[in-house]
Amino acid sequence: MTPNASWIRPEPWGIHVVPSDCWIDPSREVPHALVTHGHADHARGGHGTTTATPETLAIMELRYQTREGAQPVAYGETIRLPGNVDATYLPAGHILGSAQILLEHAGERVIVTGDYKRRPDPTCPPFAVTPCDIFVTEATFGLPVFCHPPIEQEIGKLLKRLADEPERCVLVGAYALGKAQRVIAELRRAGHTAPIYLHGALERMCRLYEEHGIDLGVLRPATGATKEALRGHIVVSPPGALNDRWSRRLPDPITAMASGWMRVRQRARQRNVELPLIISDHADWGELTRTIEEVNPAESWITHGREEALLRWCQLHQRKARALALVGYEDEDD
Ligand SMILES: [Zn+2]
Ligand SMILES: [Zn+2]
């Protein structure tokens, strides 16, 4: 049966939960926001109240100094919103604290995923497949060409290169929230116990992860370390520091970048990346289509990326779907 769902309305600046007058991941300031996760295109400061997981609230406090109106919800906990809407935050497997938000009202169930992936990630619990009537899915990598390799393979490439050229260092560009910590945690899982050196812009977020129980091993500041000390080591920086003056202090760095976009050669060339690592915190094409099959909603709403191909896939598979025209969701976090 086609859901009615007139109580949930996609607007260009966010998804409006009408009976509660709440907005999900709004791109403008609102009285009541429900936030899926801490990336800048979803989490913004300045809302009257912000309901999110404790981890996401901690990230928002660190990044945007928001503390007022913070309303924590643990994974699996259901809260009652005004207008008889129940909201449950479920793991999305994207970054620390990331959640899908399940909304229940008038016998209908709507899930807004935010960003998600299905691959294992040592920094957050896995995506929870949950039945619903309407499934609002991201589509960042919504083209069949996007098929992320296993992360073990990419981490293996990195470690091999490090061992092959012990006079140099490997400088890995990784987004400051999520990607950097996942790469470090995966290096530890692969048995790399040596200290990892950090660009100053990553230090506080790595500490926040550690405070939430994610073991990142021995981390040291790259600033102040001598060239000699950095030889044969891994240095992690935000992508913006890869080619700037900051990196000149490093001993002949092998420039690497961890991103789903490294599948696209031109993107790697643009950034002068010598060692592209295809590591993404978003679902690839196979994960997106499998997730729609497993969740099996009456209707899928597609947003946040390449909507067209996924829309066509749904139509070919006799699945009801529509593309939403939300604005302002540009990834800092691929
Ligand atoms: Zn994100
Ligand atoms: Zn996003």
Side-chain angles (χ1 to χ4, degrees):
M1 206 177 75
T2 301
N4 164 30
S6 58
W7 54 278
I8 185 132
R9 214 170 283 159
E11 302 283 2
W13 49 89
I15 290 171
H16 192 198
V17 185
V18 180
S20 325
D21 196 23
C22 284
W23 293 81
I24 300 177
D25 292 352
S27 59
R28 53 167 74 163
E29 289 176 18
V30 298
H32 303 292
L34 310 177
V35 173
T36 58
H37 68 288
H39 280 137
D41 56 329
H42 298 261
R44 288 171 174 83
H47 304 307
T49 66
T50 301
T51 306
T53 62
E55 295 88 349
T56 296
L57 291 172
I59 291 165
M60 290 179 73
E61 188 179 335
L62 176 62
R63 298 188 119 192
Y64 318 113
Q65 288 76 49
T66 53
R67 190 179 305 173
E68 243 118 276
Q71 299 183 337
V73 194
Y75 287 130
E77 186 191 335
T78 299
I79 54 164
R80 172 59 58 98
L81 302 174
N84 290 321
V85 179
D86 285 333
T88 309
Y89 283 53
L90 304 163
H94 175 56
I95 61 165
L96 181 73
S98 64
Q100 327 169 48
I101 302 176
L102 164 66
L103 299 157
E104 295 171 280
H105 177 71
E108 290 181 328
R109 292 161 63 87
V110 176
I111 286 179
V112 180
T113 60
D115 296 335
Y116 68 95
K117 70 173 175 294
R118 304 295 305 275
R119 313 287 177 113
D121 179 338
T123 69
C124 58
F127 180 94
V129 172
T130 308
C132 61
D133 302 296
I134 293 175
F135 185 61
V136 184
T137 178
E138 64 136 318
T140 305
F141 290 105
L143 285 174
V145 64
F146 290 112
C147 168
H148 308 321
I151 191 162
E152 292 80 6
Q153 182 184 314
E154 302 304 284
I155 293 292
K157 272 202 275 185
L158 199 172
L159 290 174
K160 178 167 190 313
R161 195 62 189 270
L162 186 72
D164 286 350
E165 301 189 64
E167 290 304 299
R168 304 175 72 186
C169 73
V170 180
L171 172 60
V172 184
Y175 287 94
L177 168 55
K179 189 66 59 70
Q181 296 78 20
R182 180 175 175 220
V183 166
I184 295 168
E186 286 287 354
L187 283 163
R188 299 314 187 194
R189 202 166 66 85
H192 183 74
T193 52
I196 293 175
Y197 290 83
L198 297 181
H199 184 285
L202 302 179
E203 283 173 20
R204 288 201 302 169
M205 194 57 78
C206 286
R207 210 172 311 132
L208 185 148
Y209 266 62
E210 289 171 331
E211 284 162 12
H212 286 85
I214 310 299
D215 184 7
L216 300 178
V218 180
L219 302 176
R220 288 186 186 155
T223 308
T226 62
K227 274 197 186 188
E228 226 27 70
L230 294 173
R231 283 186 211 285
H233 284 286
I234 295 171
V235 181
V236 185
S237 80
L242 282 185
N243 301 308
D244 78 5
R245 289 181 41 171
W246 179 85
S247 65
R248 288 188 212 153
R249 73 189 65 206
L250 307 175
D252 189 17
I254 298 158
T255 306
M257 165 99 183
S259 163
W261 297 113
M262 290 297 104
R263 169 72 69 195
V264 184
R265 279 213 191 97
Q266 199 192 340
R267 295 245 191 167
R269 267 199 308 264
Q270 270 167 8
R271 287 190 182 269
N272 291 319
V273 171
E274 210 179 321
L275 180 62
L277 303 171
I278 306 168
I279 298 178
S280 175
D281 287 332
H282 292 273
D284 67 7
W285 175 258
E287 292 168 68
L288 290 170
T289 53
R290 173 163 71 92
T291 301
I292 292 174
E293 281 172 339
E294 288 179 4
V295 173
N296 196 23
E299 209 171 310
S300 298
W301 293 359
I302 305 161
T303 176
H304 199 310
R306 280 141 201 78
E307 291 93 357
E308 285 308 309
L310 198 54
L311 191 61
R312 209 162 322 126
W313 179 88
C314 286
Q315 287 158 353
L316 283 171
H317 292 80
Q318 281 80 48
R319 291 187 172 277
K320 214 161 173 245
R322 61 183 278 206
L324 304 184
L326 301 181
V327 294
Y329 296 86
E330 280 305 322
D331 282 289
E332 64 155 342
D333 60 299
D334 49 39

